[in-house]
Structures are given as structure tokens and as C-alpha cells.
Amino acid sequence: ETGVTQSPTHLIKTRGQQVTLRCSSQSGHNTVSWYQQALGQGPQFIFQYYREEENGRGNFPPRFSGLQFPNYSSELNVNALELDDSALYLCASSYSGTEQFFGPGTRLTVL
Amino acid sequence: GQQLNQSPQSMFIQEGEDVSMNCTSSSIFNTWLWYKQDPGEGPVLLIALYKAGELTSNGRLTAQFGITRKDSFLNISASIPSDVGIYFCAGQSLGSGAGSYQLTFGKGTKLSVIP
């Protein structure tokens, strides 16, 4: 059984740029959730994708957007990057939103 | 964003000692989960609790879902060096979309084990 994978591992961007992060869900899972984890904090829910549509969103602005593909993999896009966007971005997959299993994360640094 | 109240923030214990940490919330949750996160890794699910009052064990780990559905605790017995890491509680609730679930996390308890 393949676990959740994310790419890239690390990324450095400058303020104002755009970034795309990728996630492959665990086999058998149809739901993907994205979380932002700032240093020293717990993860914060960004949004969830099910059946290729966003079906839940946390307190994040519209410049955070996503996609889910027919194979249940997902992308997180962030436009107009700000310094505060520097964080570990975690993807979690589940079957219909039940127990969520996390990937290793993408460390984003915005300069 | 909302976070759960998790305590203690950090603990230093001797190898072989038992550990206890807890999590409280002002909101009710349908499910409580406990995760462990090592540096540079994503959180790993340890225990999931589904019913108020439920007590569940996973090896040396025991967790309980509080009767009020607003709290949970995690115990680790006979700690070993590989227990080092950050432990997070998470409450699962319905999200804004139909059939959507979201996790609300605590700030974590950093556990250090002295050999």
C-alpha cells in the first residue's frame, strides 16, 4: 500500500510569485485535505477536495486554490505569495473524510 | 484560526516513566485523533476515538474521548527514546461543504526522553 506523497520537498520563492504544490493520495482514498503548519504551531485546515470539487474551506483567502484530479491526486496553488505564507504545507488523504493520513509535507520559504 | 488547548507544551522525562497529556476545547467534536510528528515529517496517526467515553489502546499508548466530547487525553506507558517527538491532538468536525470533515489541531506537546 502506497502512502501519501508530496512534491517538491522544499521550495524557495520570492514575494509576489505563485507556487504549485502536489500531492498523491494513499491508494483507496478519495478525499484530499490541505493544511498549513507554521513553525511551532499545529496544522491549520486550508480546504478539502472530494470528487474533484472543493467541499470545505478554512479561514484562508481566495489566493489559496486547489484542484483534484480523477486519480484523486491534488494540487495546492498559492498566488501573490506573502512572507507569512512561509510554512510546511501538508496534504492528508482519507476515504470520504474519515481518518486522515498525512504526507511528509512541502517546506515553502518566501523571501 | 481556532486551535485546541493542549498541555503541557513540553515535557522532559526519564526513560521508563509514564507520560500524560491532554487537550481541551470550547467546541464539541465527533472524533478525536492523536498524531505524532517527528522533525521534517508529516504527522503520523496514533489513535482515533469515535465515541464519548471511549478508551482505546495502541501498544503502550492509551487515549480517551471525554464524556463532554470537549476533551481527550493521551497516556504513554514506560517511555522509550523513540517516543521523542511532538504529539498533537486533533478534533474532527463537519466542514462547510456537504460530507466535508476538517481537523482542528492543538499546538502540540513536545516530548523529550532522557535515557
Side-chain angles (χ1 to χ4, degrees):
Chain A
E1 183 178 272
T2 307
V4 179
T5 60
Q6 291 185 243
S7 63
T9 306
H10 297 89
L11 205 50
I12 299 175
K13 292 285 188 177
T14 56
R15 199 168 50 179
Q17 284 188 313
Q18 177 265 342
V19 69
T20 298
L21 311 181
R22 295 178 175 82
C23 171
S24 291
S25 60
Q26 185 169 312
S27 59
H29 287 179
N30 57 8
T31 303
V32 173
S33 303
W34 286 92
Y35 292 80
Q36 180 195 66
Q37 186 177 23
L39 209 58
Q41 302 292 318
Q44 296 281 325
F45 175 71
I46 302 174
F47 44 53
Q48 183 175 87
Y49 274 82
Y50 173 66
R51 291 184 176 176
E52 302 177 47
E53 290 192 1
E54 182 184 301
N55 77 331
R57 189 176 186 95
N59 190 24
F60 280 81
R63 59 188 186 86
F64 285 79
S65 63
L67 287 172
Q68 187 181 32
F69 300 100
N71 67 354
Y72 307 122
S73 66
S74 176
E75 285 183 356
L76 164 66
N77 299 292
V78 187
N79 293 323
L81 283 167
E82 301 176 0
L83 297 179
D84 284 350
D85 295 333
S86 294
L88 182 68
Y89 287 85
L90 295 161
C91 164
S93 76
S94 61
Y95 180 73
S96 295
T98 53
E99 295 173 6
Q100 297 186 24
F101 293 86
F102 285 82
T106 294
R107 171 72 62 188
L108 172 64
T109 302
V110 182
L111 302 176
Chain B
Q2 180 190 2
Q3 287 197 325
L4 306 179
N5 299 312
Q6 190 172 346
S7 64
Q9 284 187 330
S10 62
M11 305 180 73
F12 287 84
I13 61 168
Q14 288 289 138
E15 183 177 354
E17 287 185 345
D18 296 346
V19 174
S20 184
M21 58 191 78
N22 65 65
C23 203
T24 60
S25 169
S26 56
S27 306
I28 289 173
F29 289 105
N30 297 320
T31 302
W32 281 91
L33 305 103
W34 285 90
Y35 289 86
K36 177 176 183 256
Q37 186 173 29
D38 292 328
E41 304 282 334
V44 174
L45 181 62
L46 300 173
I47 291 182
L49 302 152
Y50 300 103
K51 285 197 292 193
E54 178 182 356
L55 188 71
T56 297
S57 293
N58 178 9
R60 295 178 295 106
L61 277 59
T62 301
Q64 184 158 30
F65 191 148
I67 290 184
T68 64
R69 295 165 64 193
K70 294 182 178 181
D71 62 323
S72 177
F73 73 74
L74 174 71
N75 286 340
I76 305 173
S77 63
S79 58
I80 58 178
S82 63
D83 290 334
V84 166
I86 302 177
Y87 292 79
F88 289 99
C89 61
Q92 180 163 284
S93 56
L94 291 176
S96 55
S100 162
Y101 295 90
Q102 67 182 69
L103 296 178
T104 301
F105 282 82
K107 287 190 173 183
T109 294
K110 185 175 181 180
L111 179 64
S112 301
V113 179
I114 305 166

